[in-house]
Amino acid sequence: MARRAMSLLNRWSSRAFYVELDGASPSCFALQETHGGNEEAPGLFRKMHAKYDRCYSLHVCGEDRINSAKFYAQLRDRLQRDLPGCNFAPMLSFVPHVRDSLIKGYFLTSECLDPTERLLGDLTRNEPVLVCSYVRGESGGSWTQHVWSGAGGREKMSQKYYVVPSEEPDFHPATLNIVNSDVFYSFEDAREVLQKCDDIIPESAAVLELLCKPQARSKPDFPVIVIEGLDATGKTTLTESLREALGAALLRSPPQCLSPWRARFDQEPPLIRRAFYALGNYLTAEQIGQKATQTAVIVDRFWHSTAAYALATAVSGPVCNLPAEGSEVYRWPGDLLQPSLVVLLTLDPEERKRRLRDRGLGKTEEEQELGQNQLFRLRVEEAYRRICGPVCITVDASPPADQVLQQVLHLIRGKCHL
């Protein structure tokens, strides 16, 4: 068994488990080492009582986080391909309130035990995976968790724990690992991820060649105004109009120089994809610094977008699952050029959908999610509002474009003295 798996087992009973069932509220449970005599099965296991007497979980626990992130993404495809009769859901294991303690995995149920256990046995031998079986007690009311030893079969189970209910955490457990995994707060942390991808993603080298270490952050000579908002809120129209009205330079993030590799990195798991887009902000910042010595600069999206979408993707469920206002995850990176003003365009969801239909353009994966998942859209919008350094000033984008332009010009003249 891998060294990290062994170290995890030393404190395994202190961990909590969070299963995100599709279309249902998450189910939480914990473990205890001794039988108290009256353990009640958690809700997840009570629901399975009539159909299953055994189920499983897989926990990806490799020591290399790049390879672990890729393996976790590939594991879903493998389960779907090799176990067509298996049902599985995302599962998180964590130590409550302990940062960077999160482990991703899957919770499985299957009516075909032999092929399921053969595959799980192969995984314990060859992959960075910790496998557990959950076995219903003879009385039917209690369940025990058995941690597999890594020898490749249920007959080799090692430690045994009793499964007990656990309260849902105050915030989504994914927040424990967000810093420098889903949202990056320094150039060096983001660059390190791509440097470690050289052998598995050849395109990383081309991206790294574009990067220069950011200069010490200083206030630009001219104002830098960032326009944020979901697709179809009017950002492009507004930024073009502001460029003409102010005689300003117009930049976009991610910058055009990254376009050849965006499709490639969009296929990667969040850790790698988010690092790529974080570095795009630093490339944009370099361009801003050059332009802002001569004129005001308008920027179509910047770090707020990168962080808001990453947070909304990492954390599922309602808005209350996001980290609390004032959390460190909303802070501006200390080495990234800070804009003078950030304007967030907002629009009624139905009007935004109508505009998208009128445009008739293909949708990104995140835009598809915005259209299908109201909770995701609400999380994105709330994350935008909570980011500080600077905060977003919200502007209603539903009036005609010329009225929106005049309102934003009024803000710029008041805040930036242009």
Side-chain angles (χ1 to χ4, degrees):
M1 188 178 290
R3 283 180 296 174
R4 188 179 182 213
M6 290 298 296
S7 66
L8 291 171
L9 286 177
N10 290 333
R11 297 187 59 200
W12 193 247
S13 61
S14 65
R15 304 187 74 81
F17 300 84
Y18 187 97
V19 181
E20 302 186 271
L21 298 169
D22 187 26
S25 299
S27 183
C28 306
F29 64 92
L31 306 172
Q32 60 186 37
E33 297 184 7
T34 57
H35 194 290
N38 58 348
E39 278 75 14
E40 177 188 2
L44 171 66
F45 294 90
R46 291 200 301 272
K47 292 175 185 176
M48 296 189 300
H49 174 79
K51 192 170 184 180
Y52 302 102
D53 58 10
R54 184 184 295 269
C55 49
Y56 310 90
S57 62
L58 299 88
H59 310 270
V60 179
C61 52
E63 296 175 33
D64 183 305
R65 68 175 186 153
I66 304 295
N67 288 322
S68 292
K70 287 189 72 70
F71 176 72
Y72 174 75
Q74 294 163 355
L75 182 57
R76 181 183 186 90
D77 295 335
R78 183 170 179 181
L79 292 173
Q80 288 177 327
R81 183 189 69 234
D82 295 347
L83 296 175
C86 175
N87 298 309
F88 59 94
M91 181 178 193
L92 303 175
S93 169
F94 61 99
V95 180
H97 311 298
V98 176
R99 180 171 158 177
D100 295 329
S101 65
L102 191 76
I103 304 170
K104 292 184 177 181
Y106 295 103
F107 185 86
L108 289 77
T109 56
S110 175
E111 296 181 8
C112 304
L113 296 186
D114 287 343
T116 299
E117 295 199 348
R118 278 198 300 272
L119 174 63
L120 299 183
D122 289 342
L123 288 172
T124 62
R125 281 191 292 265
N126 304 315
E127 304 292 355
V129 170
L130 189 63
V131 174
C132 299
S133 296
Y134 299 83
V135 181
R136 191 176 67 191
E138 291 183 4
S139 63
S142 63
W143 288 74
T144 52
Q145 182 201 75
H146 303 258
V147 183
W148 290 23
S149 68
R154 62 183 178 181
E155 72 278 2
K156 299 293 186 179
M157 293 176 191
S158 54
Q159 281 134 304
K160 170 183 172 181
Y161 301 94
Y162 295 91
V163 178
V164 295
S166 173
E167 292 186 0
E168 190 172 335
D170 293 335
F171 300 104
H172 195 284
T175 61
L176 296 171
N177 280 42
I178 276 177
V179 175
N180 292 329
S181 288
D182 293 285
V183 184
F184 289 85
Y185 298 87
S186 78
F187 173 82
E188 292 297 339
D189 285 321
R191 184 173 67 170
E192 181 184 10
V193 171
L194 259 64
Q195 285 175 330
K196 291 182 177 179
C197 290
D198 267 357
D199 57 336
I200 54 176
I201 306 175
E203 294 85 350
S204 297
V207 175
L208 292 169
E209 287 178 2
L210 298 173
L211 301 172
C212 298
K213 187 172 182 178
Q215 302 297 316
R217 195 175 74 176
S218 59
K219 188 176 180 180
D221 296 333
F222 285 82
V224 177
I225 299 101
V226 175
I227 307 299
E228 293 280 7
L230 306 181
D231 284 354
T233 52
K235 294 188 306 302
T236 300
T237 300
L238 177 60
T239 53
E240 294 283 358
S241 300
L242 288 172
R243 175 175 64 177
E244 294 179 10
L246 299 173
L250 174 58
L251 298 172
R252 292 183 171 84
S253 185
Q256 185 65 29
C257 61
L258 289 184
S259 295
W261 303 291
R262 285 186 66 179
R264 175 68 179 85
F265 281 91
D266 281 345
Q267 299 171 7
E268 294 299 325
L271 173 66
I272 299 170
R273 184 170 71 249
R274 300 304 181 190
F276 170 78
Y277 282 106
L279 292 171
N281 288 321
Y282 287 95
L283 286 169
T284 299
E286 185 179 351
Q287 296 175 352
I288 293 171
Q290 295 169 358
K291 296 290 186 181
T293 61
Q294 304 166 354
T295 184
V297 180
I298 309 299
V299 189
D300 186 339
R301 287 188 166 171
F302 197 34
W303 190 80
H304 283 74
S305 282
T306 306
Y309 277 89
L311 286 163
T313 302
V315 175
S316 60
V319 168
C320 62
N321 281 353
L322 287 169
E325 290 190 61
S327 167
E328 62 174 346
V329 304
Y330 302 117
R331 74 178 190 271
W332 190 267
D335 60 354
L336 183 64
L337 182 144
Q338 190 170 345
S340 315
L341 174 67
V342 181
V343 174
L344 174 64
L345 299 179
T346 61
L347 195 62
D348 175 78
E350 292 306 314
E351 171 62 15
R352 198 180 71 85
K353 288 180 182 178
R354 185 192 66 77
R355 292 186 184 184
L356 280 170
R357 286 196 300 269
D358 291 346
R359 283 163 53 171
L361 299 177
K363 295 181 180 180
T364 63
E365 182 178 337
E366 286 176 335
E367 184 53 48
Q368 290 174 354
E369 181 75 3
L370 283 170
Q372 298 166 5
N373 189 333
Q374 181 185 13
L375 288 177
F376 179 68
R377 176 179 58 79
L378 293 173
R379 293 195 304 272
V380 172
E381 292 176 340
E382 185 58 31
Y384 267 127
R385 295 186 181 98
R386 293 185 183 184
I387 294 169
C388 57
V391 297
C392 294
I393 297 179
T394 301
V395 170
D396 180 11
S398 57
D402 59 339
Q403 293 183 29
V404 176
L405 171 62
Q406 292 305 315
Q407 185 177 352
V408 174
L409 283 172
H410 180 74
L411 275 173
I412 292 172
R413 288 168 183 145
K415 299 283 185 179
C416 305
H417 310 293
L418 279 179

